[in-house]
Amino acid sequence: MGEAPADYLEFAAARSGPLLRTACLLTGDWHLAEDLVQETLHLPHGGTVSDLNASDDLIQLVYDDGRGKNMVQVDAQYDMTAFLAGHMGCAGVEGDCEATTLADGTEVKKVEGPSEKGGSAVVWLVDILYPDGRRVAVREVDSYAESAPVTRPRPALSMDELLAIARDKRYFTG
């Protein structure tokens, strides 16, 4: 990611969700924070992270495993049950979609489809809605941005890896 400005760690910590905020403040070192973000988001080792953007409920970054840039976004939200009612299934979804409800009532939707922003980018999505209304949506694009040119033949992370990211309940701590 390069060298961070001296005040960047405080800025990033103030504008970041609990996980990134902790990484920045505990390490005091942007390169170590980058490693913690990769570990926290279960990104494969050996890749690089750039263009990091984070807020209380969103982490968005570009991950490059050496085969091309790949956008990854994690969005964690509360109280989404009513808002998502009827939207955790595959009806009307373009692309390959699989929707399941787990024994505990958790709804999981996986989609491999075209970008909503046009172009040739492919978006992979894992969307989890827990019975208590917490939601984690993980999106991955085979480019550095959803509307940008494709930079790799397919997204870097598998659907199972996206599911592991989405199932991590640490997004709701802090």
Side-chain angles (χ1 to χ4, degrees):
M1 291 180 86
E3 291 300 315
D7 63 346
Y8 183 78
L9 293 173
E10 290 89 25
F11 172 78
R15 304 241 346 169
S16 302
L19 298 174
L20 184 60
R21 179 172 36 247
T22 301
C24 289
L25 292 177
L26 289 180
T27 65
D29 180 314
W30 180 247
H31 297 290
L32 290 176
E34 178 182 346
D35 290 343
L36 284 174
V37 168
Q38 284 189 21
E39 182 179 319
T40 299
L41 295 182
H42 308 279
L43 298 175
H45 293 287
T48 60
V49 171
S50 63
D51 301 312
L52 182 64
N53 178 23
S55 65
D56 282 341
D57 58 0
L58 177 79
I59 296 175
Q60 185 179 56
L61 56 86
V62 173
Y63 173 75
D64 189 342
D65 62 357
R67 295 183 196 104
K69 293 182 176 183
N70 189 86
M71 186 195 78
V72 178
Q73 176 180 303
V74 180
D75 193 2
Q77 303 167 330
Y78 291 93
D79 300 321
M80 297 300 291
T81 303
F83 182 77
L84 291 175
H87 295 284
M88 290 302 290
C90 292
V93 174
E94 192 173 345
D96 294 328
C97 180
E98 175 187 331
T100 57
T101 301
L102 306 179
D104 68 355
T106 299
E107 296 178 71
V108 179
K109 181 163 100 175
K110 301 176 192 176
V111 179
E112 295 179 20
S115 168
E116 296 172 351
K117 299 184 188 237
S120 57
V122 173
V123 177
W124 288 10
L125 166 73
V126 172
D127 199 350
I128 295 180
L129 179 62
Y130 293 98
D132 64 2
R134 292 175 298 139
R135 174 195 191 196
V136 179
V138 181
R139 297 171 58 82
E140 176 182 32
V141 181
D142 62 349
S143 178
Y144 58 88
E146 196 168 333
S147 59
V150 171
T151 55
R152 51 182 305 118
R154 60 182 286 141
L157 306 175
S158 70
M159 221 19 113
D160 287 341
E161 288 171 310
L162 293 180
L163 183 60
I165 293 169
R167 294 287 298 188
D168 191 330
K169 294 186 180 175
R170 291 181 292 174
Y171 300 116
F172 299 104
T173 62

